[in-house]
Amino acid sequence: MTVTRNEIIPAWYTKKWAQPFLHAVAWITLFSLPYLLRPSPDKHQGHRQEDPLWHIHFIINCVLLTCCFYINSNVLIPRLVYKKKWWQYGGVLFLMLIIQVLVRWIFVNLFISSEEFDLKPTIFFSFFTLLFILACSTTWRIVKDKVEAEQMASDRENENLKTELSLLRSQVSPHFMFNVLNNMVALARKQSDQLEPSLIKLSSLMRYMLYETDEDKVGLDKEVDYLQSYIDLQQQRFGAKVQVNVNLQLPENGYEIEPMLLIPFVENAFKHGTGMIPDARIDIELRARQGLLQFSVMNKYNEEFEEVKDKTSGIGLTNVKRRLNLLYRDNYQLLINKKEGWFVVSLQLHLH
């Protein structure tokens, strides 16, 4: 396989096997140090050989410390430290220390009869050993989260740049624009009273696309106004050929949303819900209550007829899903299905 300059070869440490491999090497190196750095016994002094049970105790202690590392990084840090539950966090750490001391006490009293259990040195040694492991665990988790956050921000920026270019070039399809302009020419010839409001709607639509979408977030009311202007112009374009039912309800709360997030669903409905479809109908509903946005778009479709669309007629639902994943992660639910001649899109979004 030939690799060109434009192809990006991922670094080996980003592969799935790399992280477990590096962790395994780190643990093996760390727990081998007591053996590697231990001084050689002096044969002339007749040192006794160590009891093999101490090696078993060392292995169990290493397993316990490893468990403490991952419990702290994967459970305690995200669930307690990030949520500032300091008392619960301190209690769990104290329990870890008790377990370390208790394991040594069991081994000394039940298996190592030749040696007495000394509490103070055991607590001292276990405390600083556990403190070192927890410090490494906390540092690793914080660095890992920071790297992931930076990567997410980078992915989001790149995706927004791609989306912005696609939206500026193709969000409102050329066919739609040409038809709207032709309708306005017809209204001008007839000297219709509908010409001025139609021009105002088209002007607000273009203004929103070119200027308002530069912000990270916009007011939900602005996004809905844009949707309404788009729908009104589409209704003017299709007239009585398509039944459009619209119910856009807004609360008084000043919710914000990512710009141009909802329009692809509406455009998709007009793109695939018109044409060779008997009794064409599109239902659009939006409501926002208690921080939850519920948005649904339904359109009839004809399975026997798939209209061929040009390549510049929207960014597609696949890209919208990608954008939702980057922008809202676990704070949304998107359902898309076909049933009984209807194409249904339902979006639930937790607003910040």
Side-chain angles (χ1 to χ4, degrees):
M1 177 179 178
T2 303
V3 179
T4 63
R5 291 184 179 181
N6 293 330
E7 293 177 342
I8 300 175
I9 304 176
W12 66 270
Y13 53 80
T14 61
K15 297 181 179 180
K16 292 183 179 180
W17 58 265
Q19 191 173 103
F21 174 77
L22 293 175
H23 278 245
V25 171
W27 286 120
I28 292 173
T29 303
L30 178 63
F31 293 141
S32 298
L33 289 178
Y35 293 98
L36 297 175
L37 301 179
R38 181 178 59 180
S40 300
D42 189 351
K43 297 180 181 179
H44 300 286
Q45 294 179 359
H47 285 281
R48 64 178 178 83
Q49 295 293 326
E50 293 181 355
D51 193 324
L53 289 174
W54 280 115
H55 296 286
I56 298 176
H57 171 263
F58 178 77
I59 294 173
I60 294 177
N61 193 52
C62 291
V63 173
L64 287 175
L65 291 174
T66 304
C67 291
C68 290
F69 181 96
Y70 291 109
I71 290 173
N72 181 65
S73 64
N74 297 335
V75 180
L76 302 183
I77 297 297
R79 296 188 181 183
L80 298 181
V81 174
Y82 286 169
K83 296 181 181 179
K84 298 183 179 180
K85 297 181 180 180
W86 304 115
W87 287 105
Q88 296 92 322
Y89 182 65
V92 176
L93 298 188
F94 181 75
L95 180 61
M96 289 181 177
L97 178 61
I98 294 299
I99 293 174
Q100 294 282 333
V101 176
L102 185 61
V103 168
R104 187 175 181 88
W105 179 86
I106 292 174
F107 259 81
V108 170
N109 286 275
L110 298 182
F111 303 106
I112 313 296
S113 57
S114 61
E115 185 172 337
E116 290 185 12
F117 177 77
D118 198 342
L119 181 61
K120 290 184 178 179
T122 300
I123 293 177
F124 183 84
F125 178 81
S126 299
F127 173 79
F128 283 100
T129 304
L130 182 62
L131 183 63
F132 172 77
I133 292 296
L134 293 177
C136 294
S137 174
T138 302
T139 302
W140 177 78
R141 178 69 196 214
I142 292 175
V143 171
K144 178 175 178 288
D145 288 345
K146 184 177 181 180
V147 170
E148 289 180 352
E150 290 176 351
Q151 184 63 43
M152 180 64 68
S154 177
D155 290 345
R156 175 177 172 174
E157 181 179 359
N158 291 335
E159 189 68 22
N160 282 342
L161 288 174
K162 294 178 183 178
T163 304
E164 181 180 359
L165 291 174
S166 297
L167 290 170
L168 290 175
R169 285 196 296 250
S170 65
Q171 182 57 61
V172 177
S173 67
H175 290 179
F176 164 73
M177 295 299 297
F178 289 143
N179 278 278
V180 169
L181 292 175
N182 287 333
N183 289 339
M184 290 184 179
V185 170
L187 292 175
R189 290 174 178 173
K190 297 178 181 179
Q191 297 183 351
S192 173
D193 295 336
Q194 296 298 318
L195 178 60
E196 183 177 352
S198 297
L199 287 171
I200 293 175
K201 290 182 187 299
L202 181 60
S203 174
S204 64
L205 185 147
M206 298 302 298
R207 186 184 301 111
Y208 182 84
M209 288 179 56
L210 296 175
Y211 301 110
E212 299 289 345
T213 55
D214 290 338
E215 303 294 332
D216 291 338
K217 290 189 177 182
V218 297
L220 181 59
D221 56 337
K222 292 183 178 180
E223 181 79 359
V224 171
D225 287 343
Y226 171 69
L227 285 177
Q228 188 64 64
S229 296
Y230 179 84
I231 294 169
D232 290 344
L233 290 175
Q234 287 283 22
Q235 285 182 296
Q236 178 185 339
R237 171 187 172 185
F238 291 105
K241 297 179 181 179
V242 180
Q243 179 183 351
V244 181
N245 301 319
V246 183
N247 183 15
L248 305 179
Q249 301 179 9
L250 278 179
E252 296 180 357
N253 307 59
Y255 293 124
E256 291 185 329
I257 192 173
E258 301 293 332
M260 308 290 287
L261 190 65
L262 305 179
I263 187 62
F265 302 111
V266 178
E267 184 189 20
N268 188 76
F270 280 101
K271 183 170 64 174
H272 298 289
T274 58
M276 303 296 293
I277 299 175
D279 301 324
R281 175 180 163 185
I282 297 175
D283 294 345
I284 303 170
E285 184 174 358
L286 180 146
R287 64 180 64 184
R289 295 178 182 176
Q290 299 179 350
L292 180 65
L293 172 69
Q294 294 179 312
F295 181 65
S296 65
V297 180
M298 301 172 54
N299 64 271
K300 286 186 176 182
Y301 74 98
N302 190 347
E303 295 181 350
E304 299 178 355
F305 178 79
E306 291 291 338
E307 184 179 357
V308 178
K309 299 293 178 176
D310 62 287
K311 296 180 180 180
T312 61
S313 59
I315 63 175
L317 296 183
T318 301
N319 287 358
V320 177
K321 294 177 186 177
R322 172 65 177 161
R323 195 173 180 216
L324 282 169
N325 286 331
L326 287 173
L327 299 174
Y328 290 94
R329 304 192 71 176
D330 298 327
N331 294 318
Y332 82 96
Q333 182 180 19
L334 178 64
L335 300 176
I336 301 176
N337 56 68
K338 295 181 179 180
K339 58 180 181 180
E340 300 177 355
W342 285 88
F343 186 86
V344 182
V345 175
S346 178
L347 173 66
Q348 288 188 351
L349 188 67
H350 292 276
L351 302 173
H352 302 292

